[in-house]
Amino acid sequence: MILAAGPGTRLRPLTDITPKPLLEVRGTPLIVHQIGWLLKAGIQDIVINVHHLAEQLIDHLGNGSRFGVHITFSRERELLNTGGGIVNALPHLGPHPFLLINGDVWTNYPLTRLVSHQTTHGHLVLTPFKNESNRDFALDGKIVQRFEDKTRHDLTYCGIAVLHPNIFQEREAKPFSLTRDLIFDLIHQRKVTGEKFDGEWIDIGSPNNLSLLRDGLPPKPPPRRTVDI
């Protein structure tokens, strides 16, 4: 599932006329890059939730056949945030764990590593982040942790995860945050696993980050060894 319903407020006025996932990065809409990553990982059935300027996304992507995939759109009459958007899409996602990616993520993370990943709750891809205010997580081996003392956090969520649909059983299709209102609680119960990723990752939620991608990021050294769990 690709989360693509949000209004992209921080990127206005660009997103007043173009949905954030359709903003071009290196000559191609970001969401088309993401569809290509998923296809390369062997994923052909993709669910995309839409709300803000939904018709543009639907018209541009169609049923996905020209990209070699099958796309199902999950429409939202009201914006349901990340958690409610997933609940609304559950009828399209089936009973097994599914891969989730935020529609504003650019990365070279190898999604093939998650295709066969099994979880009874959730598995998060996490990365080091320079801005301390955005560090929400830590790892204890395979287990994701959070502390009252936020200085103990050294990782941020990449917007890439594997989730089991059962964690949404008690939830309704109403606005709520996937992380704050659900994942945080599961983390406190030590039910969420994670892995550290040191490769290329950026979210295009800010004009500065979008400009970095459009102008071309400087070459990066090969990523350090990741923790494969």
Side-chain angles (χ1 to χ4, degrees):
M1 180 173 183
I2 301 175
L3 294 174
T9 306
R10 290 180 296 161
L11 285 171
R12 287 177 174 166
L14 293 175
T15 49
D16 287 335
I17 58 174
T18 304
K20 182 165 59 172
L22 283 185
L23 292 176
E24 288 198 358
V25 175
R26 302 178 184 177
T28 302
L30 175 61
I31 197 167
V32 175
H33 284 289
Q34 294 182 331
I35 290 169
W37 304 338
L38 292 169
L39 180 61
K40 186 177 180 180
I43 296 173
Q44 292 179 292
D45 292 311
I46 301 172
V47 177
I48 302 174
N49 69 328
V50 291
H51 174 75
H52 177 64
L53 301 176
E55 296 305 325
Q56 287 192 39
L57 279 161
I58 293 169
D59 290 345
H60 188 89
L61 300 176
N63 63 8
S65 59
R66 68 190 180 101
F67 305 108
V69 300
H70 178 264
I71 294 174
T72 300
F73 291 99
S74 177
R75 291 177 178 266
E76 299 178 12
R77 293 184 179 180
E78 63 170 327
L79 191 61
L80 296 173
N81 205 331
T82 49
I86 294 172
V87 174
N88 189 59
L90 285 179
H92 307 299
L93 291 169
H96 304 295
F98 60 92
L99 191 153
L100 180 76
I101 182 168
N102 289 356
D104 58 3
V105 167
W106 174 275
T107 185
N108 64 353
Y109 177 84
L111 295 176
T112 50
R113 290 170 54 180
L114 298 180
V115 170
S116 59
H117 190 94
Q118 295 299 311
T119 179
T120 56
H121 293 85
H123 178 82
L124 308 182
V125 178
L126 308 170
T127 191
F129 204 67
K130 293 180 180 179
N131 188 339
E132 291 185 7
S133 65
N134 288 341
R135 297 175 187 169
D136 293 316
F137 305 99
L139 276 175
D140 177 15
K142 298 180 181 181
I143 304 300
V144 179
Q145 291 188 307
R146 280 179 52 79
F147 303 100
E148 289 188 14
D149 178 7
K150 293 186 177 182
T151 62
R152 298 177 67 183
H153 298 157
D154 59 353
L155 301 168
T156 192
Y157 172 48
C158 289
I160 303 170
V162 177
L163 303 176
H164 198 292
N166 286 346
I167 67 175
F168 299 95
Q169 278 187 342
E170 305 301 319
R171 297 285 181 163
E172 298 181 7
K174 296 181 177 180
F176 73 91
S177 167
L178 171 64
T179 50
R180 291 193 307 273
D181 300 324
L182 180 57
I183 296 297
F184 282 4
D185 183 54
L186 293 174
I187 287 172
H188 290 314
Q189 299 175 51
R190 295 182 65 84
K191 292 181 176 179
V192 178
T193 60
E195 63 183 90
K196 181 181 176 184
F197 173 63
D198 289 299
E200 183 178 2
W201 175 83
I202 190 169
D203 90 70
I204 67 160
S206 71
N208 180 63
N209 286 353
L210 179 60
S211 295
L212 282 174
L213 282 175
R214 284 180 164 177
D215 296 341
L217 292 170
K220 281 198 158 195
R224 300 190 297 276
R225 184 179 67 87
T226 56
V227 178
D228 187 0
I229 57 174

